[in-house]
Amino acid sequence: MPITKTAVLSQDAPAPSPLMSQAVVYNGMVYCSGSLGIDPKTNKFAEGDAADRTTQALKNLDNILRSAGSDLSKAVKVNIFLSSMEHYAKVNEAYARIFTHEVKPCRTCVPVPELPLNAEVEIELVAHL
């Protein structure tokens, strides 16, 4: 029997562009697209600094994962993209408050020249069901 992939759509996270899914479930894993720190209620960036927008991006991802039957505690790999390494400490501050589980996900954090909508941080991740 072939394994199928299923798109995930959460109303509690910003709507995806028509070019992508918020996430895809495949073979017991949930692959999430990149998330910005946008509040889905206002469609604007969360007020505050990079820590606040990191928290919002992770809340968005958690809502998407919950729609798929998972959550952030089941994250196995996190990729963080920063518009500047100046945001690294603030991102880590928020990240540490959220990822308190004993086994932390694998993580990559890299600076990039520019992010969509001039965001400071974009986060994508993979979790298991």
Side-chain angles (χ1 to χ4, degrees):
M1 177 182 310
I3 298 173
T4 60
K5 61 183 182 175
T6 305
V8 177
L9 180 61
S10 171
Q11 301 303 315
D12 296 320
S17 119
L19 302 173
M20 67 183 90
S21 297
Q22 285 174 329
V24 171
V25 176
Y26 180 76
N27 199 22
M29 303 298 286
V30 185
Y31 299 87
C32 294
S33 292
S35 177
L36 305 176
I38 294 176
D39 183 331
K41 293 176 186 151
T42 64
N43 282 324
K44 295 183 180 182
F45 282 105
E47 294 291 324
D49 60 15
D52 298 299
R53 285 179 280 287
T54 297
T55 299
Q56 183 64 56
L58 289 169
K59 282 181 186 177
N60 294 340
L61 288 164
D62 192 46
N63 288 332
I64 293 165
L65 288 172
R66 288 178 187 280
S67 290
S70 186
D71 62 56
L72 284 178
S73 73
K74 297 177 180 175
V76 295
K77 177 67 170 129
V78 178
N79 295 317
I80 302 173
F81 305 96
L82 301 174
S83 63
S84 168
M85 288 306 288
E86 291 176 11
H87 305 303
Y88 189 72
K90 288 290 186 180
V91 168
N92 281 339
E93 177 185 308
Y95 189 92
R97 282 194 304 262
I98 292 170
F99 286 102
T100 59
H101 317 97
E102 185 177 325
V103 177
K104 307 289 191 263
C106 300
R107 186 179 111 166
T108 300
C109 187
V110 295
V112 295
E114 188 176 4
L115 289 168
L117 304 176
N118 292 318
E120 296 119 322
V121 60
E122 182 173 6
I123 304 172
E124 66 178 22
L125 60 79
V126 178
H128 66 87
L129 291 175

